[in-house]
Amino acid sequence: MLTDRMEKWFDKVGKKILIAIGVIIAIYLTFKFRILRLVAPFIVAWIFSCILNPFVTWAHRKLKLNRGVGSIISMLRF
């Protein structure tokens, strides 16, 4: 009975706490070892791809374009 409650608690709250601790440790290590200047271009590229993804998906479905062609068109348009 006690283990069932603990498992439910861990499923609800425990995983979120572990993820938060992991993110905090990653941020600390990033600033401590100045890794941000090495990782920043990848973060910017990831944000850029997240912004362009809806148009590329739309072009792939509606216009029947290859995703690569849709990506090139969206980059030129952006």
Side-chain angles (χ1 to χ4, degrees):
M1 184 169 165
L2 181 62
T3 58
D4 291 336
R5 281 192 280 160
M6 289 179 68
E7 286 178 13
K8 288 179 184 178
W9 178 85
F10 183 76
D11 287 339
K12 282 181 151 179
V13 181
K15 290 180 183 177
K16 292 178 184 177
I17 291 173
L18 288 176
I19 290 170
I21 290 172
V23 168
I24 290 170
I25 290 172
I27 290 171
Y28 171 75
L29 292 174
T30 298
F31 285 112
K32 180 167 175 57
F33 296 113
R34 300 190 197 320
I35 298 174
L36 188 60
R37 65 176 181 238
L38 299 174
V39 179
F42 298 104
I43 294 172
V44 170
W46 176 68
I47 292 170
F48 191 64
S49 70
C50 288
I51 291 170
L52 294 178
N53 188 38
F55 175 75
V56 172
T57 304
W58 177 81
H60 179 66
R61 271 194 265 143
K62 298 290 182 180
L63 303 176
K64 305 291 188 219
L65 289 175
N66 187 358
R67 285 188 67 87
V69 173
S71 297
I72 291 171
I73 291 171
S74 65
M75 284 188 279
L76 294 174
R77 186 186 72 127
F78 189 68

